[in-house]
Amino acid sequence: MKQTTFIYIAITLLLAVSCQNKQETSTASPLETYADSLFQTSIDSAQIAGASILIFQKDKMLLKKSYGYASLELSTPMPSDGNFFIASVTKQFTAAAILKLVEAKKLSLDDDFTKYLEFDTKGRKITIAQLLDHTSGLPQAESKEEFMQMTFDESPQKLMVKLVEPKHFLHEPGEAMIYNNTAFVLLGLIIEKITGQSYEEYLQESFFDPLGMSNTSYTSNTKVTKNKVNGYVHTPKGLQQNGYLNYDIPYSAGALSSTTEDLLKWMQALHTGKVISAPMYQSMITPSKLNDGTPIRYAKGLVNFSYYGHQEIGHNGGGFGFLSKTRYFPDDDLYIICLLNTYGPKGGDFFTDKLTWKLLDQKEFNQFALDFDTNGIEGTYTGQTRDTIQTLDIKSIENGITRQVKGEEKIDTLNLYVGKNTWMDGNDKITIENNEYRVDKIYNYYILKKEK
């Protein structure tokens, strides 16, 4: 009798647990189920070690979840509030800090930055605004040799300035937009010069403490940080640990660490007027123009553009074992934050794109019939891009053109013509006219000239 009773109780408990598990499984939203599959597939194939995703819309948390591992070595699961290195997502904090100083009338966006720092611009005027929107043309220190020099220097951010000062400018100020870490390092040094505080102290006092961002800080190699996540690199041999980084090298261009929850606090505060005044906020999110009046899609520490029919304000970050993405769609009241602890083929864009179009309608570009003779734009074009001087050949084909970068076998076909001598390649706009090949890549706008 006792044995029968025991068996009955055991079966009842098993059925209860089974029902509970079924109930828990059934509560997962289609968005969560899709995200689970998306991230788990990438983890199972060793393309990423782990990730955290947060999606918030109209005062409702649609998804907040972590996947994979914070440490592969220790088989440590990713915590719900994993602390990630966010790289260039840092730039929006630097931009807001500068605008806060403008608001306090301690500097002006039109000031030549050499008013605050010694730097030989070789006669050029470069404004604070041009540092913020990447149109300064300043050279950069990004070679392996320069990186090694800076790694073991006591003040690598100051050494960076010395390393780039003798170099040739990438372009004249305002004539193009080439993503520029040097410019944002200079902005951090300006913040320190004006405030008398370290960059880290100023951000802590001005933003992190008032907004309750207790899990956001300047990244450290020595400080014990709760739920700190290890970074990895995807290689042909599999995932490998990222090497040592002196965080004073990226400095104010990309040295912060944070969590998805803290970044949501920041983004909500910034976009609802709780960080800087309304005029300063408008300045921060209003894209700039080049000297010739050409609009670009980068504002000040943030991009702002139409993403397949939806206005997006945000920023990417990447490097040293991490990739990050922050997106805000004001018309849809939608925030998406994705943090990965792997630098590899699948970045924040890959995951946030997939999830974005589960929530929003993707509006494709309207294709137009070609309205000019493309034979007239055939030729070889050369100019400065972010990484190198690039040369490419343009050839006319039926209903489109092809382009081939010199030294590469790959030939791309451009056939999505949107009018006014412009093609779309994903989000890239390519305009070819007046003997110029112009590329608007959201984070870069460069111009290649036709060779005679």
Side-chain angles (χ1 to χ4, degrees):
M1 184 68 179
K2 287 182 179 180
Q3 187 177 4
T4 304
T5 303
F6 174 78
I7 293 171
Y8 174 78
I9 293 171
I11 292 172
T12 303
L13 286 171
L14 283 170
L15 287 172
V17 170
S18 176
C19 290
Q20 183 180 2
N21 287 339
K22 287 180 181 179
Q23 188 175 7
E24 287 176 356
T25 302
S26 66
T27 58
S29 69
L31 180 67
E32 181 179 354
T33 301
Y34 179 71
D36 289 350
S37 173
L38 194 64
F39 284 102
Q40 197 59 51
T41 299
S42 296
I43 290 164
D44 292 343
S45 60
Q47 291 184 308
I48 64 170
S52 287
I53 183 74
L54 185 153
I55 302 177
F56 188 90
Q57 186 176 33
K58 297 178 180 177
D59 298 322
K60 183 179 179 182
M61 188 70 74
L62 301 185
L63 181 65
K64 183 180 183 297
K65 203 163 183 180
S66 294
Y67 300 91
Y69 296 92
S71 169
L72 292 174
E73 292 77 11
L74 299 175
S75 299
T76 306
M78 186 68 69
S80 60
D81 54 350
N83 193 286
F84 292 73
F85 175 62
I86 61 172
S88 285
V89 171
T90 299
K91 287 183 171 69
Q92 60 194 280
F93 293 90
T94 302
I98 287 289
L99 291 170
K100 199 169 184 68
L101 294 173
V102 172
E103 189 178 309
K105 302 189 184 308
K106 293 186 177 180
L107 80 164
S108 167
L109 291 173
D110 294 326
D111 285 343
D112 188 323
F113 84 89
T114 58
K115 178 178 177 180
Y116 306 97
L117 300 174
E118 289 186 11
F119 189 96
D120 182 10
T121 62
K122 302 172 181 65
R124 300 170 176 86
K125 178 184 177 181
I126 299 173
T127 65
I128 300 292
Q130 288 173 326
L131 296 181
L132 286 164
D133 65 16
H134 300 289
T135 63
S136 68
L138 284 162
Q140 307 207 60
E142 296 184 338
S143 71
K144 289 183 180 179
E145 294 78 11
E146 289 168 328
F147 183 79
M148 289 303 295
Q149 276 184 269
M150 291 185 286
T151 294
F152 300 104
D153 193 85
E154 290 184 2
S155 300
Q157 65 272 56
K158 294 179 181 178
L159 175 59
M160 179 186 288
V161 177
K162 292 180 181 178
L163 289 172
V164 304
E165 195 171 18
K167 295 184 177 185
H168 294 294
F169 271 56
L170 300 176
H171 57 81
E172 291 303 309
E175 288 192 359
M177 185 197 96
I178 294 181
Y179 193 82
N180 201 299
N181 286 313
T182 300
F184 270 79
V185 166
L186 291 170
L187 289 166
L189 293 172
I190 289 169
I191 290 168
E192 293 192 349
K193 178 83 177 223
I194 291 175
T195 65
Q197 297 176 281
S198 71
Y199 172 78
E200 179 180 5
E201 289 169 343
Y202 184 71
L203 262 59
Q204 190 74 44
E205 181 184 290
S206 300
F207 303 142
F208 305 155
D209 288 343
L211 296 175
M213 297 172 64
S214 57
N215 294 308
T216 303
S217 62
Y218 193 93
T219 312
S220 169
N221 283 307
T222 55
K223 181 181 176 183
V224 176
T225 303
K226 183 182 178 182
N227 293 324
K228 184 176 182 179
V229 173
N230 289 346
Y232 299 89
V233 179
H234 181 272
T235 75
K237 296 180 180 180
L239 295 180
Q240 297 184 355
Q241 252 203 16
N242 185 67
Y244 173 83
L245 172 63
N246 181 339
Y247 291 100
D248 283 338
I249 297 175
Y251 182 52
S252 48
L256 297 183
S257 288
S258 190
T259 64
T260 55
E261 190 172 349
D262 264 18
L263 287 172
L264 177 63
K265 289 180 183 178
W266 164 256
M267 293 168 70
Q268 287 181 308
L270 177 66
H271 297 301
T272 57
K274 296 173 184 175
V275 174
I276 49 180
S277 66
M280 289 299 99
Y281 173 72
Q282 284 304 314
S283 176
M284 186 173 180
I285 67 166
T286 301
S288 302
K289 292 182 179 180
L290 302 181
N291 292 343
D292 63 4
T294 301
I296 58 178
R297 293 184 277 180
Y298 201 98
K300 296 177 177 67
L302 289 168
V303 295
N304 186 349
F305 64 104
S306 177
Y307 187 51
Y308 292 106
H310 300 267
Q311 183 189 4
E312 177 187 331
I313 304 172
H315 212 285
N316 292 348
F320 310 108
F322 293 87
L323 288 164
S324 51
K325 179 74 177 181
T326 59
R327 278 180 169 168
Y328 170 54
F329 296 94
D331 295 335
D332 305 286
D333 194 17
L334 173 64
Y335 297 84
I336 303 179
I337 301 162
C338 182
L339 305 177
L340 307 171
N341 65 333
T342 308
Y343 190 86
K346 289 185 177 179
D349 274 333
F350 171 82
F351 296 100
T352 56
D353 276 355
K354 298 281 189 184
L355 294 166
T356 294
W357 305 127
K358 283 290 180 181
L359 296 167
L360 304 178
D361 294 325
Q362 185 174 356
K363 301 173 184 176
E364 297 296 338
F365 297 101
N366 292 323
Q367 183 161 0
F368 291 75
L370 278 168
D371 51 7
F372 72 102
D373 184 0
T374 55
N375 287 310
I377 61 172
E378 282 193 337
T380 301
Y381 295 78
T382 301
Q384 179 73 54
T385 65
R386 182 182 177 188
D387 301 315
T388 185
I389 301 276
Q390 186 179 89
T391 298
L392 57 81
D393 291 320
I394 299 295
K395 291 186 179 179
S396 176
I397 59 172
E398 186 177 359
N399 297 321
I401 59 172
T402 64
R403 61 179 178 182
Q404 183 177 23
V405 176
K406 186 176 181 180
E408 296 183 6
E409 294 184 4
K410 181 183 176 183
I411 299 175
D412 292 325
T413 300
L414 296 178
N415 48 31
L416 180 50
Y417 182 69
V418 294
K420 298 182 179 179
N421 288 66
T422 300
W423 286 262
M424 296 301 301
D425 180 22
N427 266 312
D428 296 350
K429 294 180 183 178
I430 296 98
T431 302
I432 312 174
E433 61 181 346
N434 301 324
N435 297 319
E436 291 180 338
Y437 175 96
R438 290 174 169 251
V439 186
D440 179 354
K441 296 177 72 68
I442 300 177
Y443 286 89
N444 289 280
Y445 189 111
Y446 48 81
I447 304 166
L448 282 61
K449 304 280 187 178
K450 189 175 184 180
E451 296 181 1
K452 295 181 181 179

